[in-house]
């Protein structure tokens, strides 16, 4: 039973436009959410996180939105750049401070940004 | 500063053998966790060590084990290898409880 779901396996957007990556979860105990980016032959790298007490967190071109009632979060990248082309993983933790390295990951979504 | 280092990067084993993977965390990081990545299951949590103690464990059989040394370096061992153990094994370290994990490049294990 997958507790973190990224239902779209891939997304293609034009450079300069907005990329919206979606993630749904089923476990009500999740209190902390993260996004990681992964390039081929590299380990995942942390992008941005959000605690359940917030509904939005912004860091430069990246914004994560959390809708707890819908158990849904999304990552917005504006503007999208070709270097953003990678696999993006949504992850969740049951500790509201992220004080737990036991993350549950989605299967990832491959983002392609066309020049 | 140096990132998380995993060795070996690639290895091939046969069914029934055992394997040991090594992970050196970022200097100063005391938490080390291990994940298995496969195409079908994505990234799955194996276990986490903090100050030489296993703090969390995922839903993997007892054939998967690990340990952490006093210098925070960690090893994981898989005994009696099965074909389904073929995967990318990722190690991650963190400094304090921030949820921000720093991953290594992984060890790709192929079981024939």
């Amino acid at each position: 039973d997958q507790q973190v779901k990224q239902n779209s396996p891939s997304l293609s957007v034009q450079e300069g436009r907005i990329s919206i990556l979606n993630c749904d979860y089923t476990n009500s105990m999740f209190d902390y959410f993260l996004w990681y980016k992964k390039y081929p032959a590299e380990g995942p790298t942390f992008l941005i996180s959000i605690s359940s007490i917030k509904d939005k967190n912004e860091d430069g071109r990246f914004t994560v939105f959390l809708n707890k009632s819908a158990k849904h979060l999304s990552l917005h990248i504006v503007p999208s750049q070709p270097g953003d082309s990678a696999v993006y993983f949504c992850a969740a933790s049951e500790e509201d401070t992220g004080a737990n390295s036991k993350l549950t990951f989605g299967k990832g979504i491959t983002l392609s940004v066309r020049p | 500063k140096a990132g998380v280092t995993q060795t070996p990067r690639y290895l091939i084993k046969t069914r029934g053998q055992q394997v040991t993977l090594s992970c050196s965390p970022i200097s100063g990081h005391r938490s080390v966790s291990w994940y298995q990545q496969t195409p079908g299951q994505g990234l799955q949590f194996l276990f986490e060590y903090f100050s030489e103690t296993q703090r969390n464990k995922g839903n993997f059989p007892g054939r998967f084990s690990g340990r952490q040394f006093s210098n925070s370096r960690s090893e994981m061992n898989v005994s009696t290898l099965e074909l389904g153990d073929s995967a990318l094994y990722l190690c991650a370290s963190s400094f304090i409880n921030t949820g921000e994990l720093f991953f290594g490049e992984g060890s790709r294990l192929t079981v024939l």
Side-chain angles (χ1 to χ4, degrees):
Chain A
D1 176 36
Q2 195 153 20
Q3 299 183 62
V4 177
K5 301 178 183 179
Q6 295 178 260
N7 293 319
S8 302
S10 63
L11 174 68
S12 180
V13 299
Q14 192 74 38
E15 180 180 5
R17 305 294 289 270
I18 183 172
S19 294
I20 300 177
L21 290 73
N22 294 307
C23 178
D24 297 292
Y25 62 96
T26 58
N27 187 344
S28 300
M29 299 299 292
F30 287 148
D31 271 330
Y32 194 73
F33 304 89
L34 310 93
W35 285 91
Y36 282 81
K37 177 171 72 174
K38 186 179 186 299
Y39 293 118
E42 295 184 11
T45 55
F46 171 78
L47 259 182
I48 192 168
S49 63
I50 187 167
S51 168
S52 61
I53 61 174
K54 295 184 177 181
D55 54 18
K56 175 183 173 181
N57 189 26
E58 192 173 350
D59 184 2
R61 296 186 298 114
F62 302 91
T63 303
V64 56
F65 295 91
L66 174 63
N67 183 332
K68 278 202 74 175
S69 61
K71 294 191 177 66
H72 176 84
L73 62 156
S74 60
L75 174 68
H76 292 210
I77 307 174
V78 183
S80 301
Q81 301 173 353
D84 296 329
S85 298
V87 178
Y88 288 78
F89 291 97
C90 172
S93 166
E94 292 187 17
E95 296 280 348
D96 62 4
T97 60
N100 186 332
S101 294
K102 182 178 180 180
L103 299 181
T104 301
F105 282 85
K107 292 190 177 181
I109 176 169
T110 301
L111 173 66
S112 299
V113 180
R114 306 185 303 273
Chain B
K1 55 183 176 183
V4 177
T5 304
Q6 292 188 245
T7 58
R9 291 291 311 281
Y10 303 91
L11 66 166
I12 300 173
K13 294 285 187 178
T14 56
R15 278 181 300 174
Q17 287 187 309
Q18 73 163 11
V19 66
T20 298
L21 309 178
S22 180
C23 173
S24 293
I26 292 172
S27 177
H29 286 195
R30 294 169 62 191
S31 169
V32 174
S33 52
W34 290 87
Y35 287 80
Q36 181 196 65
Q37 185 182 12
T38 57
Q41 298 298 322
L43 277 150
Q44 292 187 292
F45 175 79
L46 280 157
F47 27 65
E48 181 208 359
Y49 288 87
F50 184 85
S51 294
E52 302 179 63
T53 301
Q54 187 179 86
R55 190 160 67 169
N56 275 301
K57 191 177 191 305
N59 297 323
F60 279 81
R63 300 185 297 107
F64 292 80
S65 63
R67 58 178 177 169
Q68 186 180 32
F69 303 95
S70 58
N71 61 358
S72 292
R73 192 176 69 84
S74 176
E75 289 182 345
M76 69 162 282
N77 182 276
V78 188
S79 62
T80 320
L81 284 166
E82 300 177 359
L83 295 179
D85 297 332
S86 295
L88 180 67
Y89 290 88
L90 291 160
C91 170
S93 72
S94 64
F95 176 53
I96 54 176
N97 297 327
T98 64
E100 180 180 344
L101 303 182
F102 293 82
F103 283 87
E105 293 178 321
S107 293
R108 182 163 296 282
L109 170 65
T110 301
V111 182
L112 302 176

